[in-house]
Structure formats: C-alpha cells, structure tokens
Amino acid sequence: MTPSLTPPLVAVAHGSRDPRSAATIRALLDVSRGLAPGLDIRESFLDLSEPLLTDALRGLYAEGHRKVVVVPLLLGVAYHARVDLPALVAEVTADCPGLDVRVSGVLGIDPLIETVALDRLTEAGADLDDPGLGVLLAGVGSSNVAANDAVAGITTRWHLRRGLLATPAFAGAAQPDVPAAIARLRLNGAQRLAVAGWFLAPGLLPDRIARLAREADPSVIVAGPLGPDPRIAGLVLDRYDVAARLAA
C-alpha cells in the first residue's frame, strides 16, 4: 500500500513504569484521532513504555514513509525536549536515508492547558473563589531553571488574574518541594489546601506528590492529571499542523 502524502503524526511522551500513564496517553491520542479521523496518529515514548520513539520511526520508514512529524507531549522545554529527543531523532535518521523527521514545539505552557488544570481542581471539589484556599501547582521539576520558572509563572498568572493564592511545588530537582510549598502557602494565610497537577497522566511522581500533601494535611484536595481532554487533544493537532506546514 502506498503511504499517504500527509505525514504521520508521532506523539512522544515521557514513558513510565506505571501502566496508567501509557493508557492515559493512548486515550488522549484517541481523542485526537476523533478530531482528525483522516490523520495517521501513532503513540510513542522516550523510555520505560512501548513503543519507543525510535521503534515507531523505524516502523514508519519500513512502511515507506519518508516524512514524519513528531509532537512531544511535554509540558516544558527541559532536558527531554532539548537533549534526549533530538538525539533519538538523529539516531534514527542516521540509519534511515531520506527520512525527514520534523519535531514540533512541545505542548508547553499554554493557556488552554492552564485552563484544564483549573478545571481539574474544580472537578475535585476546590472552590476557586475561596480566599482561604492555597493551591500548589505540582510539576516534575528540572535542572533547567527556565523550565521551573515557566511553571512558577503560571501560579503568578493565577494570582493576578484569578486572585488565587498559589505556588509551584516540584517532585524533584527543584525547590520548593511539597512541604516547603505548603509552608509558604500557610505563611501567606492559606487555611485550606489543594493540589493542581501539571502532569498529563497519572504515575509515580503525581502519586508521590499526593502522598506528601496528604501527610501534611489529610483534608487536602488533590486534582487529577490533565488527562485525555479534548482541548489538549486539539492542541496536539495544532502543534502538528504548524510543523507539517514547514515540512511541506
């Protein structure tokens, strides 16, 4: 069968030892498939889950495809986006003559995703109009200062635009961690706590953040991951469209 002239979309996520993570990524891409039924959309992972990005790209090459667009399902421009992903793409293109792989921008810090995170808080039972509510925006944390600052910028916008008392909290590699973030919120007058997740899918790190928050306050509200939301699924397609036009 002759491959379509439209480049396939290969979405690549971090990968996790927790099977719920890959299942959520697949559910998100199923929503994207529903929004773009004519587009060939494949899932892949950088590590720990299958198929790996390198295997997905080599598989498409074996099918006869020579143009592919990779969309990183990443919420920041840190080590995975800046180092891991380009190295993996370069490894495959070195072995596959004529394969043109275009990598789109990451999902990143986008107003749509910020809105989804707030909606998850509301769905979990948080009253965003409660002046005594303190919100932790929980992310992975990175050795890249700019990536951490971008997450902190979200909490600043939530405070300025919504009046939310909010602070970032990182699972590792950055401060504040969860206990320090809770202490900061309480120092600033928070009487009740809620955790918003800057994670696409459930996994070991979101579980760790939830456990630490509940140890500090058993009544804390913990929002679910961003998950297979149609707004994020549409954003995946938007990132693809921009990169595909450049590849044409």
Side-chain angles (χ1 to χ4, degrees):
M1 188 172 87
T2 303
S4 168
L5 295 177
T6 303
L9 185 166
V10 178
V12 58
H14 287 99
S16 171
R17 292 183 178 87
D18 188 327
R20 296 175 299 165
S21 179
T24 301
I25 294 301
R26 292 186 177 101
L28 171 64
L29 295 177
D30 280 343
V31 179
S32 295
R33 291 180 183 105
L35 295 173
L39 181 61
D40 184 357
I41 300 176
R42 315 278 181 107
E43 70 267 12
S44 70
F45 302 90
L46 293 172
D47 196 11
L48 301 174
S49 301
E50 293 183 345
L52 295 175
L53 173 64
T54 49
D55 293 336
L57 292 176
R58 288 190 173 101
L60 285 166
Y61 185 78
E63 292 174 22
H65 294 279
R66 294 298 179 265
K67 288 187 178 181
V68 179
V69 174
V70 172
V71 178
L73 304 184
L74 304 173
L75 298 178
V77 183
Y79 189 85
H80 289 303
R82 293 183 298 106
V83 179
D84 284 345
L85 181 53
L88 292 171
V89 170
E91 174 189 326
V92 174
T93 54
D95 295 338
C96 299
L99 181 62
D100 180 4
V101 179
R102 299 298 173 101
V103 180
S104 81
V106 301
L107 297 183
I109 308 297
D110 189 279
L112 276 176
I113 305 179
E114 293 183 35
T115 301
V116 174
L118 290 171
D119 287 349
R120 294 291 176 268
L121 271 177
T122 301
E123 292 163 6
D127 179 1
L128 302 186
D129 295 320
D130 176 3
L133 180 69
V135 176
L136 293 82
L137 178 61
V140 175
S142 171
S143 58
N144 183 281
V145 174
N148 300 325
D149 287 347
V151 176
I154 298 171
T155 64
T156 300
R157 285 191 292 277
W158 287 359
H159 176 68
L160 294 175
R161 298 173 184 174
R162 301 290 301 263
L164 282 176
L165 179 60
T167 185
F170 299 108
Q175 288 292 325
D177 59 12
V178 172
I182 289 175
R184 177 184 294 179
L185 289 172
R186 285 179 168 158
L187 184 64
N188 287 317
Q191 299 168 358
R192 287 161 294 282
L193 297 174
V195 178
W198 199 246
F199 296 95
L200 280 179
L204 302 179
L205 288 180
D207 284 354
R208 179 174 180 270
I209 287 170
R211 175 177 57 78
L212 290 170
R214 289 182 176 121
E215 287 174 357
D217 181 354
S219 66
V220 65
I221 294 170
V222 179
L226 299 166
D229 189 281
R231 289 165 291 185
I232 300 177
L235 193 61
V236 173
L237 297 175
D238 288 344
R239 296 289 185 268
Y240 167 86
D241 286 340
V242 172
R245 284 197 296 270
L246 294 175

